[in-house]
Every structure is written in C-alpha cells, then in structure tokens.
C-alpha cells in the first residue's frame, strides 16, 4: 500500500470513461393518504421541482417528495445524498458517501424506511456498527428508484417504526408507462483519492418495460452495477478514558469540572485504507390485469453489496500515560515510557445480500369500494458464506524500549506524536526490531427476515357530504433475526517475520487536506493481515473461539381506520384526515452460548474466557400494546396561502442488539477493566406525541415560501445503565482473577496449565455490566424554513432551506453520569442554484450540517461520546441534451475536498480526522 505524493487534479478528468444514466418518465400514484402523487411526466429540473412543490401543497400532513429525474440529476452516489437536499433531512457519511439519514434531529434508528410501502430488513457485519434497524442507503442504486416520499407526520395507514419520519422508496411498474420504454447507462467514476486500484471505475444501468396482450400484461426488468475504488486517510484515537494513568490536574477549572475528572487517550493512530466496493441492484416486475377491476403485481427486488478494505495502522498505545491537563480536563501531552510502536494490518471484507419478493392485488369491487392485498417476504443476509468481517494482525517493537509523547493541545487540525527509539539498535522501523504480537478475527453473520401481510379497503363517497374517504385495514408483521457472532483473539509468537514482507512507506502528503502533518509518524507500515494469519495457521497457533448465537422474534398485529373530510369554514376550504392505528407486539429474545468455566491467565495482557462444551439457551419475552392516533388539517386562506396543523403519535422500536438476553464478556486484561453487557427483550418502544404548525405561500409557478414549527414529546427513550456486579460460572461460583497472585508457569498461552485458571482463592472480579432500559422522557422542537424561486423565464432558479432543532436531550460533556442523549440532533441547511434553458442544465449545491452527537460510546470505551464537527460540502453537475433522447453530463461531489473531523467531550479530544478527496463522473444518458 504505497503512500504516494501524487494527487489527481481537474486536468486529469479528461481521462474519465464516458458514462450514462437513465432518464425515466415516471407516472406515479402514491398509496400514502392524501399525499397522492399526480400523474406526472418530469422533463427537467424546473418541472420536477414544481411537481415536488405540488405534492407538498396537496398533502394533509407534512410531506416532502423527490421524483426520479430529480434524483438522477443530482450529483449523488445514492439516495441519501439526494434526501439531504430536503428540508429537515441530514445524513451521516461512511467513506465520504451518504449512508444513513437523520430527520428533524432524530438519527437513523428513529426513521423507518420502506420499499413500495413495505418494511425492509437490514443486516450488518461489523461489530463496531452494532445490530440496529437503521437502513444503509449505500446499498441502493439511485437508478433503480422512481421516487422517494418522506412523511414527517404519522399516518394511521402507514407502518409504524419512525418517530423521526417514514421514508418510502418507490420503484417503477410496467403499467406506469405507455408501451415499450427502454434505457441504458454506462458511467465512469473518478475518485481522486485512489492510490491503489483503478483511477476510473464503471457504473452501468439499464431498464426495459413493455406491455402485451392489449395492455393486460406488463414486464419490467431493471439492473445496475457500480464499482468504486477509493482511499481514506485518518488520524484517530481508540478512546478517551476517564482518570486513566496519572495527570497534573492543577489547571482544571473546578467551576465547570468540580470532580476534577481528566481524560487521557488510549492510542494515537495513523490509518491508511484502500477500499474496493461493488454494488448490484436488480428488479423484475410482472403485472397482470385480466379485467378492468383487477390488477395483480408480482415483483422481485435484489441487491448485492461487497466491500473489501485493506488498511494499515501505525500507532502507540498509552498503556499507562502521564501528562498535564488543560482547563477542561483533557490530558494534552500524554506520554508513555518503556513502550513500543505498533504496526497493525486490517482486512475488512463484508458482504450483504438483500432479496425481496412481493405480491399485490388490487380489486375495485364497486365504483366506491376497492380492496388491496399486499404480501411480501424479504431477507437481508450479511456474511452469508460465514467468513469473519474483520481480520486483524499486529506487530510491534520488542523489549518495551520506546518512549513516546503526543500533543493534543489544539482543538483543530491534526495532533502530533514524537518518540524516542534510540534504545533500539537500528530504530523502531528496522525489520530486525519488529516481532509478532496478536491476531483477531471477528464479525457478525446475520439473517434478517420480514414477512408482512396487509389487507386494506377504501370507500369513496360519491355523493355530497364532508366525509370523502374511509380507509381501513389489518396487517401482520413477522420480524425474525438470527445472529452468529464470532470473535477470536490470541497473542502469538511467529519468530522470524522476514517472509511476511512488512514494509514502510514515507508519510508523503498524507492528511495534508486536514492540517499540518509534520507531527505524525515519518513512516507508515504496509503489509497484509491475511499473510499474518497464514503464518499463524502454519505455526499451529491459530485459535477460533466458539461463536455465540442470538435470536429475536418480533410479531406485530395492527389494525387501522382513517377518514378524509373536505368542507368549508366561512368560505375557506378545509381538508382533514383523522385516523387511529392499533398495534400489539410480542417479542422473544433467545441467546445460546456455552457456559462460563472461568478466566485463564493466558498472557501478560490477556485473561481469556474459558467455556464448557454444552450450549444452553436463555430466553426472555416481552409484550406491549399501543394506540397511535393522528389528526391532520389544512386550510386555504387564499388561493396562494395554505396553513396546516397536525398531531400524531408515533413509535420507534429498540435496536436488535439491545434485546439479546445473553451476558457477553469483553476482552479482559489483568487488573481490568472488567466490562460486560447484557440485553433486555422487555424494552418498551419509544413513543412520541408530535405537533406541527406551518404556513406556506405559493406565489408563482414553481415558487413558494414555507415556515413550520414542530414539537415532539418523547417517552421511553432507551439509554444504557451500568452496574457493578459479580458474574457466576456454570457451577454458581463467582468469576475470579488468576493474574493477581499468579501461580507457577503462568501466564500460559498453551491452555494446558490448569494452575492458570481462576480459583476460589483468587480475588472475585467486580464487573461493570452495561444494559439497556427505558430511562428518559424528553422534548424536541424546531423550525423549518424553505424558499424555492424561479426567476421567470430566464432559466435560473434557487432553493434555500434550513432546519433549526433543539431539545432537552443534550450531552453534558462535564458529567460522567450521562445515561441518555439524542444522537443526530443538529441544525442543517441547503443552498442550491440552477440554470435550465434549452439543452443545457447546470446545478450547484451546498449542503451544511452543524456539529452533532454521533454516538455515546467510542471504539474502545463505553460511556464516552463522539461528536461530528460541522461539515459543508459543494456538489456540481451539468448536462447537455445532444438529441431528444441522448444527453451528456458531468458530476462532481465534494469538489472542494472537505474533510471530516470527530472528537470526544472537547474539540482537542480527537476521535478521528478523515480525508477522502473529490469524485467526478462523466457520462451519456439515453432513453428509447
């Protein structure tokens, strides 16, 4: 993995492969309440924005929408990049690509994503991501989508699960089009960060749809394939540990930090990672209308996501640091004596396979009564072949002969590290001064299956009267998730490493976009974790831990009724939607694991968990019932002025991993810390009473101004609590620490010395056990403002929107007793300018998001926060219609090469500073 000094510049873009994208002409009809999408044919930026405005105006609740042409013409790699343009919607990025969505300050776990109105499963492979319900938009290609609807207020006829929003992704149907429609695409993607891999990677997409037998039968087939090679460069720490090591705390401001708590970093890391990603999406849709009153649809949707990351890390572990704090309590110059440099290698390989098959039949029983039956069976699998998602290797200097000191005094840019390796003959980078240390293999293998059945009816009043429509229905959702977790960890001694090819590359311009890199390691390690694992296996030291199995079964029965009214009050047209949804949910959590026999003093830095060979099951159950009402009203004060008010009760369910009943022990070191976790299937859902008020002024074609206020009263927020307690083995004896008074021959990594096992004479371990519970109620409130203006017939237009959100859910950075804080809460804004005249279209967009709490745990330490700092990104695209059916285009993402920085409690507690670079696409789109 050479660290080269070359960087791509705009002048190199001419080498890009010509690309293409689909220009779908979608005719959509929404199934979601009064926010029905009219039949529309989108032919450009202005028209698509006007249609989105009309959808917003005609809805009875608060709804935003994007048509396929709007998504296709954004310079976006996926749907999340497009959704962030909406008022109140912001995103979090992974590898500088939109991945998860936050709406009105509520993060990914609080938003329900559906596909054609159906709840979709998801799966993850990385332990660092946990097992959540949040949707990974990076797995979905924008080309396969015909529209997206974001419902910010609850509806009785919409599946529950999102207190932030419900996001419905719509795909095309053959009956949406007249006759034969075909399109194709090929796109070349240039990622300027690439050092290893292809400088230009392809994206292709195609779609064909046609109707047969007098338009009674239709077939649609769509496919897309995308590849991306990229590099990420980052400076990180693995966590800021409270009261870790020793520190001079005389500078601490006791008025803010009365306990004098100080925080020291666990590590100083410099990472280089090369990414290779492939994504395929496919869809087959069959529609049959044997008679005018019946339409049946059979659809199959699939996606495949495969990512490989080769990463190297050069680092220092501050096993017991010393330093001086600043006024907040951050140790700004942590130092360690008699230690070593560590040279890590990571091989990430995670695979996700998503498959969904669905059947829908619509029957118009009479002119006023119609029914619909919808059934689907959808599965998401991660690591279907069972291989670990992460393979990790570490080498180091021998003999504990290196001294190191870091500089975290600055709250911006990059920190610094210096070290003294003079005690090592030849220095820390000499191949003769590098020895093996440890390996790890870990990850999840998940199968998540959702089976849903819904029967709905709609009655339309064909006569006079305020009541216009009644909708009613019942639904059953069977949610099943099976999780295998593997985690192998062992210290090894491989002897001579000369055959492994460990190399060191110059720092070069690493991290130069983040800040001054002169204070980093001068050389960075380069080798493959797979080569290390091969050597471990060849030496007979390979160790594979017994996997654990967890399962959650969640079955929900729902019934709903919804009524639409249209009337007048003093001459003002009024529309009202009132509904009630009933839900009953039963949850069963099961964990199967081998019983604890005790801890073995395995290594000077490891106490290994020893289990028996008898798996046993632990099952816990929970149940709850909820009523979810909604009331939406809108009034036309003039032909241009609309006011609306909404109330709804919505809910979000607990993360999956929070409901596993098993007790899991973290990897323990002699002397601690001793941490463990346990799930809780009895968690209640988070419920929210939502109030919305807004006014909208539609003053010209395609132009409007809107202002809205929202407030959410949220109950049963889920947080983590930690208690100190003893954990018992299978015989009812407390687990003990055999490293305190080690016996002869210990530690012993062979596993053959029984004297290294904990006994009743050893000190009993007091564990810090973390579990989840319903802890807090809170209020979240905010303002949304949007303006969309077309400058007459000039072709110019602009959009500006902003969301300001706040609440009593902040994280107290000076307190060590935080049990709950809302992740994702932040202000956001968009500024978009565009020009469309004749064959030329140009759009420049700026998206900004203020700093926000990303997580309440850091990589190696729970209870410590991660804040993402404010981030703004410029994107640009332009297209030119060569003919009526063919156009060429250019897209640029993050064209100013912005970087991402995250910190702990304070700005100088760096968690990660990441550099990615810009991406540019060239292409041609065609339709037939």
């Amino acid at each position: 993995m050479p660290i080269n000094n070359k960087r791509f510049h705009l002048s190199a873009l001419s080498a890009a492969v010509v690309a293409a994208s689909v220009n779908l002409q979608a005719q959509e009809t929404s199934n979601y309440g009064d926010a029905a999408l009219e039949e529309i044919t989108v032919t450009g930026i202005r028209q698509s924005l006007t249609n989105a405005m009309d959808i917003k105006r005609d809805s009875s609740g608060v709804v935003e929408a994007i048509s396929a042409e709007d998504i296709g013409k954004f310079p976006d790699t996926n749907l999340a990049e497009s959704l962030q343009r909406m008022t109140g919607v912001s995103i979090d990025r992974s590898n500088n690509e939109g991945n998860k969505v936050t709406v009105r300050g509520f993060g990914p776990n609080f938003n329900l994503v559906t596909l054609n109105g159906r709840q979709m499963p998801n799966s993850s492979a990385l332990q660092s991501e946990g097992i959540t319900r949040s949707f990974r938009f990076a797995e979905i290609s924008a080309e396969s989508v015909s529209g997206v609807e974001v419902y910010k207020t609850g509806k009785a006829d919409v599946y529950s699960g999102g207190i932030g929003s419900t996001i419905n992704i719509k795909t095309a149907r053959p009956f949406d089009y007249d006759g034969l429609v075909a399109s194709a695409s090929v796109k070349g993607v240039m990622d300027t960060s690439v050092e290893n891999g292809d400088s230009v990677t392809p994206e292709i997409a195609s779609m064909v749809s046609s109707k047969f037998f007098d338009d009674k039968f239709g077939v649609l087939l769509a496919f897309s394939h995308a590849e991306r090679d990229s590099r990420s460069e980052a400076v990180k720490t693995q966590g800021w540990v409270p009261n870790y090591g020793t520190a001079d705390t005389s500078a601490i401001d006791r008025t803010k930090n009365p306990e004098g708590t100080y925080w020291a970093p666990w590590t100083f890391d410099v990472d280089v990672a090369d990414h290779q990603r492939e994504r395929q999406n496919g869809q087959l849709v069959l529609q049959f209308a044997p008679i005018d009153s019946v339409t049946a649809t059979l659809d199959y949707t699939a996606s495949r996501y495969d990512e490989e990351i080769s990463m190297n890390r050069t680092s220092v572990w501050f096993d017991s640091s010393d330093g001086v704090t600043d006024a907040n309590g951050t140790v700004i110059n942590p130092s360690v004596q008699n230690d070593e440099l560590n040279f890590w290698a990571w091989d990430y390989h995670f695979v996700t396979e998503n498959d969904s098959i669905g059947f829908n039949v619509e029957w118009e029983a009479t002119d006023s009564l119609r029914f619909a039956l919808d059934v689907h069976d959808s599965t998401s699998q991660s690591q279907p072949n069972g291989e670990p998602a992460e393979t990790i290797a570490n080498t180091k200097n021998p003999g504990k002969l290196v001294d190191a000191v870091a500089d975290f005094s600055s709250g911006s840019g990059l920190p610094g590290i210096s070290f003294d390796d003079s005690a090592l003959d030849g220095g820390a980078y000499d191949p003769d001064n590098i020895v093996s240390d440890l390996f790890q293999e870990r990850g999840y293998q998940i199968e998540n299956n959702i089976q849903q059945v819904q029967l709905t009816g709609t009655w339309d009043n064909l006569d006079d009267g305020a009541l216009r429509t009644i909708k009613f229905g019942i639904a059953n959702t069977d949610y099943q998730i099976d999780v295998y977790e593997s985690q192998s960890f062992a210290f090894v001694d491989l002897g001579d490493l000369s055959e492994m090819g460990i190399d060191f590359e110059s720092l070069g311009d690493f991290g130069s976009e983040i800040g001054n890199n002169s204070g980093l390691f001068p050389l960075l390690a380069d080798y493959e974790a797979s080569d290390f694992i091969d050597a471990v296996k060849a030496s007979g030291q390979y160790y594979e831990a017994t996997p654990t199995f967890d399962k959650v079964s969640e079955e929900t029965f729902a019934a709903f009724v919804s009524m639409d009214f249209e009337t007048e009050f003093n001459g003002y047209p009024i529309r009202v939607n009132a509904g009630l949804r009933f839900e009953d949910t039963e949850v069963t959590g099961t964990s199967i694991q081998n019983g604890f026999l005790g801890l073995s003093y395995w290594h000077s830095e490891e106490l290994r968990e020893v289990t028996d060979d008898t798996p046993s099951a632990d099952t816990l159950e929970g149940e709850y019932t909820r009523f979810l009402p909604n009331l939406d009203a809108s009034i036309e004060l003039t032909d241009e002025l609309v006011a609306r008010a909404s109330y709804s009760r919505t809910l979000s369910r607990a993360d999956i991993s929070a409901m596993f009943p098993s007790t899991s022990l973290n990897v323990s070191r002699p002397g601690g810390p001793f941490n463990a976790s346990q799930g809780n299937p009895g968690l209640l859902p988070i419920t929210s009473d939502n109030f919305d008020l807004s006014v909208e002024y539609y003053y010209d074609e395609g132009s409007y101004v809107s202002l809205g206020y929202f407030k959410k009263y949220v109950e049963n927020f889920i947080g983590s609590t930690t208690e100190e307690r003893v954990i018992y083995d299978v015989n009812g004896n407390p687990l003990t620490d055999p490293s305190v008074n080690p016996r002869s021959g210990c530690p012993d990594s062979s596993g053959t010395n029984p004297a290294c096992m904990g006994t009743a004479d050893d000190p009993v371990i007091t564990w810090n056990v973390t579990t989840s519970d319903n802890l807090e109620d809170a209020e979240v409130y905010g303002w949304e403002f949007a303006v969309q203006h077309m400058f007459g017939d000039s072709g110019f237009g602009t959009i500006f929107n902003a969301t300001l959100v706040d609440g009593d859910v902040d994280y107290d950075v000076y307190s060590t007793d935080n049990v709950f804080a809302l992740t994702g809460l932040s202000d956001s804004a968009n500024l978009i300018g565009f020009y469309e005249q004749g064959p030329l279209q140009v759009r420049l967009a700026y998206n900004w998001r203020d700093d926000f709490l990303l997580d309440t745990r850091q990589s190696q330490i729970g209870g410590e926060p991660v804040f993402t700092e404010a981030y703004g990104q410029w994107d640009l695209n332009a297209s030119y219609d060569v003919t009526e059916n063919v156009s060429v285009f250019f897209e640029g993402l993050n064209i100013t090469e912005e970087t991402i920085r995250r910190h702990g409690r304070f700005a100088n507690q760096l968690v990660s500073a990441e550099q990615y670079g810009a991406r540019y696409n060239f292409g041609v789109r065609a339709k037939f």
Side-chain angles (χ1 to χ4, degrees):
M1 186 186 301
I3 314 297
N4 295 330
N5 289 326
K6 71 182 182 70
R7 304 286 296 179
F8 282 102
H9 298 282
L10 286 175
S11 60
L13 294 177
S14 58
V17 174
V18 172
S21 166
V22 181
N23 207 4
L24 299 178
Q25 293 185 342
Q27 294 177 328
E28 302 293 339
T29 301
S30 169
N31 293 323
Y32 278 49
D34 287 0
L37 287 131
E38 302 287 344
E39 281 199 347
I40 55 178
T41 301
V42 179
T43 58
I45 298 174
R46 292 169 60 92
Q47 185 61 56
S48 63
L49 291 175
T50 300
N51 289 329
M53 182 192 75
D54 292 341
I55 293 169
K56 179 182 181 72
R57 179 174 184 169
D58 294 339
S59 75
S60 61
V62 181
V63 180
E64 309 283 353
I66 309 177
S67 68
E69 285 68 25
D70 233 358
I71 293 177
K73 294 186 181 297
F74 275 134
D76 305 326
T77 58
N78 58 29
L79 296 179
E81 301 281 351
S82 297
L83 288 171
Q84 70 175 332
R85 318 291 183 195
M86 291 180 170
T87 309
V89 181
S90 52
I91 66 173
D92 190 42
R93 290 173 168 84
S94 175
N95 193 28
N96 202 33
E97 186 175 21
N99 190 36
K100 296 181 180 180
V101 169
T102 294
V103 180
R104 289 180 163 182
F106 285 82
N109 298 342
F110 300 102
N111 297 290
L112 176 68
V113 178
T114 60
L115 180 67
N116 297 315
R118 301 162 176 167
Q119 185 177 347
M120 287 291 106
N122 68 88
S123 58
S124 58
L126 298 179
Q127 291 181 341
S128 59
E129 294 184 353
I131 307 170
T132 71
R133 300 177 190 263
S134 59
F135 188 81
R136 288 169 47 90
F137 283 90
E139 296 176 3
I140 299 296
S141 167
E143 287 87 352
S144 63
V145 174
S146 63
V148 180
E149 307 155 342
V150 178
Y151 292 83
K152 299 177 182 177
T153 53
K155 295 282 189 182
D157 57 336
V158 175
Y159 282 113
S160 69
I163 63 175
S165 70
T166 297
I167 301 171
N168 185 40
I169 302 170
K170 297 176 67 66
T171 57
R173 299 286 186 260
F175 285 0
D176 295 339
Y177 306 104
D178 294 326
L180 175 65
V181 176
S183 59
S185 71
V186 179
K187 180 189 293 186
V189 179
M190 174 180 286
D191 193 309
T192 61
S193 67
V194 171
E195 299 285 358
N196 291 334
D198 295 329
S199 297
V200 179
T201 53
E203 290 189 13
I204 62 173
S206 62
M207 187 274 289
V208 61
S209 176
S210 189
K211 293 189 287 189
F212 310 91
F213 309 115
D214 296 325
D215 294 344
K216 294 183 180 298
F217 182 72
V219 180
L220 182 148
L221 180 63
F223 173 77
S224 67
H225 172 86
E227 298 179 17
R228 180 189 171 200
D229 292 348
S230 61
R231 165 168 286 193
S232 61
E233 299 173 351
V235 178
K236 297 181 177 181
T237 58
Q238 296 302 300
W240 286 82
V241 188
N243 299 323
Y244 181 60
T246 60
D248 178 354
T249 61
S250 59
I252 292 179
D253 183 350
R254 298 288 176 145
T255 63
K256 297 179 179 179
N257 184 354
E259 300 298 325
T261 304
Y262 61 91
W263 292 268
W266 213 321
T267 65
F268 188 107
D269 305 327
V270 176
D271 294 358
V272 179
D274 289 317
H275 302 246
Q276 290 185 318
R277 188 206 69 191
E278 291 189 9
R279 179 183 65 205
Q280 292 90 28
N281 286 176
Q283 186 176 44
L284 174 65
V285 185
L286 308 177
Q287 286 192 289
F288 181 48
I291 56 177
D292 290 343
S293 60
V294 175
T295 299
T297 303
L298 180 67
D299 59 89
Y300 171 69
T301 303
S303 70
R304 300 291 183 266
Y305 185 92
D306 190 324
E307 184 165 10
E308 295 186 9
I309 306 173
S310 176
M311 189 184 87
N312 284 111
R313 169 178 294 167
T314 303
S315 72
V316 168
W317 278 76
F318 297 97
D319 290 319
S320 181
S321 69
D322 184 28
V324 176
T325 72
D326 62 10
N328 290 322
T330 302
V331 178
I332 59 176
N333 61 340
S335 63
V336 63
Q337 310 299 315
N338 302 319
D339 213 297
E340 69 222 5
L341 298 191
N342 291 268
F343 310 109
W344 299 81
W346 251 267
D347 284 344
Y348 294 90
H349 185 202
F350 36 94
V351 178
T352 305
E353 297 182 356
N354 300 316
D355 298 275
S356 176
I357 186 167
F359 175 74
N360 178 281
V361 60
E362 299 177 354
W363 173 41
E364 295 185 12
T366 68
D367 290 342
S368 61
L369 184 63
R370 58 189 182 274
F371 296 94
L373 173 67
D374 191 83
V375 181
H376 80 98
D377 187 332
S378 304
T379 300
S380 178
Q381 288 185 285
S382 65
Q383 308 303 98
N385 55 6
E387 69 176 15
E390 293 179 77
T391 299
I392 307 168
N394 185 43
T395 59
K396 64 178 183 178
N397 300 134
K400 301 284 187 180
L401 298 175
V402 177
D403 300 336
V405 60
D407 179 5
F408 288 97
S409 58
S410 176
S412 62
L414 293 173
I417 185 76
S418 60
F419 59 92
D420 179 4
D421 59 353
S422 58
L424 281 170
D425 186 18
Y429 296 112
D430 189 320
D432 292 334
N433 290 330
I434 299 175
V435 297
S436 58
D437 186 29
L438 60 85
F439 81 90
Q440 287 182 268
E441 289 185 324
R442 63 192 185 194
Y444 294 125
Q445 181 184 359
I446 296 177
E447 181 173 336
N448 186 359
N449 176 257
I450 296 179
Q451 298 178 7
Q452 285 183 311
V453 180
Q454 178 168 264
L455 176 63
T456 61
T458 303
W459 174 80
D460 295 320
N461 183 5
L462 303 181
D463 299 320
D464 295 332
L467 177 62
R468 306 310 305 160
T469 304
I470 299 177
K471 297 180 181 179
F472 53 91
I474 57 174
N476 192 81
T477 302
D478 188 6
Y479 187 108
Q480 304 279 343
I481 184 164
D482 296 334
V483 179
Y484 291 88
E485 180 179 4
S486 60
Q487 181 164 299
S488 299
F489 176 100
F491 290 94
V492 293
D493 183 0
L494 298 180
D496 183 15
L497 301 181
S498 59
E499 298 298 322
M500 199 166 296
I502 299 176
D503 197 6
F504 293 94
E505 299 290 338
S506 172
L507 181 69
D509 64 355
F510 174 97
S512 58
E513 297 294 332
I514 307 172
N516 186 348
N517 67 359
S518 61
L520 303 180
F521 298 104
L523 299 176
L524 303 180
D526 182 14
Y527 68 103
E528 296 295 329
S530 57
D531 294 337
F532 190 95
I533 294 297
D534 289 342
V536 171
K537 292 179 178 179
S539 70
Q541 300 179 65
Y542 183 73
Y543 160 75
E544 189 171 5
T546 303
T548 61
F549 171 76
D550 295 286
K551 179 183 182 69
V552 169
S553 300
E554 184 180 82
E555 187 167 2
T556 299
F557 171 79
F560 71 86
V561 61
S562 174
M563 295 176 286
D564 296 319
F565 300 86
E566 294 182 6
T567 187
E568 289 188 356
F569 177 75
N570 288 341
Y572 297 111
I574 294 177
R575 292 186 301 145
V576 176
N577 171 263
L580 179 66
R581 187 178 186 90
F582 165 82
E583 292 197 344
D584 180 75
T585 300
E586 297 179 353
V587 181
T588 302
T590 300
S591 296
I592 299 176
Q593 60 185 148
N594 294 1
F596 299 136
L597 292 176
L599 295 179
S600 174
Y601 189 13
W602 196 265
H603 188 274
S604 60
E605 297 184 35
E606 180 191 6
L607 293 176
R608 177 167 295 183
E609 173 187 333
V610 179
T611 60
D612 62 17
D613 296 325
T614 307
S616 60
D618 185 11
T619 299
L620 297 174
E621 298 179 347
E623 183 178 4
Y624 53 85
T625 299
R626 293 293 183 270
F627 289 91
L628 306 174
N630 80 276
L631 178 65
D632 301 314
S634 64
I635 180 170
E636 293 187 20
L637 300 174
T638 69
D639 289 343
E640 297 84 19
L641 190 62
V642 177
R644 64 181 80 243
S646 297
Y647 163 77
S648 63
R649 170 168 281 196
T650 52
L651 65 79
S652 289
R653 295 179 171 87
D655 281 347
I656 300 303
S657 55
M659 297 191 291
F660 297 152
S662 61
T663 298
S664 299
L665 306 183
N666 295 0
V667 175
S668 301
R669 292 188 171 198
F674 298 104
N675 299 318
S677 60
Q678 184 175 27
N680 179 8
L683 289 170
L684 298 174
I686 306 166
T687 57
S688 177
D689 289 303
N690 315 296
F691 296 87
D692 284 80
L693 295 171
S694 64
V695 60
E696 301 149 10
Y697 178 47
Y698 299 90
Y699 58 89
D700 204 348
E701 182 179 358
S703 300
Y704 74 95
V705 177
S706 68
L707 178 66
Y709 176 79
F710 62 89
K711 192 163 190 176
K712 296 175 178 288
Y713 297 91
V714 188
E715 298 178 341
N716 291 326
F717 265 124
I718 296 172
S720 296
T721 60
T722 301
E723 66 173 349
E724 295 183 348
R725 71 174 191 240
V726 172
I727 296 177
Y728 297 89
D729 64 20
V730 291
N731 299 312
N733 300 313
L735 297 181
T736 59
D737 184 353
S739 69
V740 175
N741 298 301
R743 288 168 282 277
S744 176
C746 301
D748 172 44
S749 58
S750 69
T752 60
N753 187 352
C756 296
M757 282 287 294
T759 68
D761 295 328
D762 293 322
V764 174
I765 297 173
T766 299
W767 297 83
N768 297 311
V769 182
T770 301
T771 189
S772 298
D773 207 347
N774 297 103
L775 299 175
E776 297 285 339
D777 299 339
E779 298 178 12
V780 176
Y781 48 87
W783 293 88
E784 292 181 335
F785 172 77
V787 58
Q788 178 174 299
H789 182 73
M790 309 289 184
F791 293 92
D793 296 327
S794 69
F796 288 97
T798 187
I799 300 171
F800 172 76
N801 59 59
T803 302
L804 306 177
V805 61
D806 205 349
D808 57 355
V809 288
D810 293 335
Y811 193 98
D812 185 352
V813 295
Y814 289 101
S815 173
T816 57
D817 296 324
N818 290 282
V819 294
F820 166 76
L822 181 60
T823 57
L825 191 72
S826 67
D827 300 336
S828 60
N830 288 282
L831 177 61
I832 301 170
F834 61 88
Y835 173 80
E836 180 182 41
Q837 196 76 278
L840 179 63
Q841 298 179 3
V842 180
R843 186 194 326 253
L844 178 66
Y846 178 74
N847 174 263
W848 173 84
R849 185 178 185 183
D850 203 359
D851 60 296
F852 65 95
L853 178 66
L854 175 67
D855 204 340
T856 55
R857 64 166 290 119
Q858 296 174 8
S859 177
Q860 295 285 340
I861 183 72
E864 290 298 312
V866 179
F867 291 93
T868 298
E869 298 181 5
Y871 179 86
Q873 177 171 309
W874 287 96
D875 300 325
L876 171 69
N877 74 355
S879 65
Y880 185 84
D881 297 332
V882 179
T883 69
E884 183 179 352
N885 295 323
V886 178
S887 62
V888 294
F889 68 91
F890 161 82
E891 299 172 341
L893 289 89
N894 190 23
I895 57 177
T896 56
E897 298 195 336
E898 301 300 319
T899 60
I900 296 175
R901 194 177 191 276
R902 298 184 174 100
H903 64 258
R905 294 172 182 267
F906 310 103
N908 58 348
Q909 291 186 4
L910 177 76
V911 172
S912 66
E914 302 167 11
Q915 174 177 306
Y916 298 97
R919 297 196 302 282
Y920 299 99
N921 309 327
F922 284 91
V924 176
R925 27 176 96 89
K927 63 179 182 180
F928 310 95

